[in-house]
Amino acid sequence: MAADDGVKKWGKCEGVKGKVLGHIGHIKGKLNELMAKVSNSRLSEEDKNRIIGIIESAEAEIKEAEEKIKSADNCLDLREAVLEFRLGWIDISRELRILAYEHAVERMEKQLQKLHNISTKLSEKGIDTSELNELIDEAENAVDDVGEKISAGTVTPEDIVNAELKIVKAFQEARSMIEDYRSQMSEQGGKGTFSVPPVQNPAAGF
């Protein structure tokens, strides 16, 4: 009877084992996708190498955990291997999440620079850019806040979205001002000579 109970118990453990290994396979696939995305991105070679190093380290840890789970032939060893994997994955996922947040900040900073350039050009044409500059300042403060929260480990996806929306709002104001400028130039028989660059989603990945 005890032997039968042991067989039944291991049967349940094998079911858990299969599910965890399936989850690990899914994670490995996502890491491969991320690796390809980074490799084909327009990031600098320095940034690419740094990110790829982090991904490769994560892949090595996942592979080691996978081998331990595969080799477990009793419930106790399996339980310990699964716990080790789950704890390790918490650290890996946190590091990858922070990496994505840092990348979002870098992209938003580039968008802010474009906004500053637009504001300068408008100002050079004698246009009052005070409202636009206020929106740019609000966006910059939001991006700075994200950076500080990343360092403190308290950043959330909502913080990223908030900063992104402020940038979009500033671009909308810039576009409206340029359209007004073009309209005025057209009425005077002249022609506007610059436009607003497309707004990329800073949190859309690499």
Side-chain angles (χ1 to χ4, degrees):
M1 190 70 171
D4 289 341
D5 289 343
V7 170
K8 290 179 180 178
K9 187 176 181 181
W10 176 239
K12 291 182 180 180
C13 290
E14 280 191 312
V16 172
K17 183 177 184 177
K19 289 180 180 179
V20 174
L21 289 175
H23 180 52
I24 289 176
H26 177 73
I27 290 173
K28 289 169 68 177
K30 290 298 183 181
L31 289 175
N32 285 336
E33 290 177 10
L34 180 59
M35 179 75 81
K37 201 170 185 180
V38 171
S39 298
N40 296 324
S41 71
R42 296 180 179 180
L43 294 171
S44 67
E45 288 303 311
E46 181 180 355
D47 285 341
K48 280 187 182 181
N49 291 335
R50 180 174 67 89
I51 296 169
I52 287 173
I54 293 173
I55 297 172
E56 287 177 341
S57 177
E59 288 178 329
E61 290 186 42
I62 293 295
K63 183 177 181 180
E64 182 179 351
E66 182 181 36
E67 292 302 319
K68 287 183 179 180
I69 292 172
K70 282 182 177 179
S71 64
D73 57 5
N74 62 74
C75 291
L76 179 60
D77 288 348
L78 178 62
R79 188 179 298 113
E80 291 178 351
V82 170
L83 178 60
E84 184 178 340
F85 157 68
R86 286 175 174 167
L87 292 175
W89 177 240
I90 289 173
D91 292 335
I92 292 171
S93 58
R94 182 187 299 116
E95 188 171 14
L96 291 174
R97 189 163 53 250
I98 289 173
L99 185 65
Y101 290 154
E102 289 176 344
H103 179 64
V105 168
E106 289 176 3
R107 294 187 65 174
M108 287 191 287
E109 287 176 342
K110 290 179 181 178
Q111 295 287 349
L112 286 170
Q113 185 57 56
K114 291 178 181 179
L115 282 166
H116 278 295
N117 291 341
I118 292 170
S119 177
T120 298
K121 288 180 180 180
L122 288 169
S123 181
E124 289 173 350
K125 295 180 183 296
I127 299 172
D128 180 8
T129 58
S130 56
E131 289 188 16
L132 174 60
N133 290 334
E134 285 181 10
L135 293 174
I136 294 173
D137 287 342
E138 289 180 11
E140 280 186 322
N141 289 335
V143 173
D144 289 342
D145 183 58
V146 169
E148 291 174 2
K149 287 184 176 180
I150 288 175
S151 299
T154 59
V155 68
T156 66
E158 289 73 22
D159 295 321
I160 301 291
V161 171
N162 177 57
E164 177 188 345
L165 289 176
K166 289 183 182 299
I167 289 175
V168 170
K169 187 176 181 179
F171 268 110
Q172 290 173 337
E173 175 65 18
R175 184 173 290 108
S176 176
M177 293 175 69
I178 290 174
E179 288 174 355
D180 288 344
Y181 166 74
R182 285 176 172 170
S183 177
Q184 292 175 12
M185 291 296 292
S186 177
E187 291 174 0
Q188 297 171 13
K191 184 178 180 181
T193 57
F194 66 93
S195 61
V196 177
V199 183
Q200 293 177 306
N201 182 347
F206 300 98

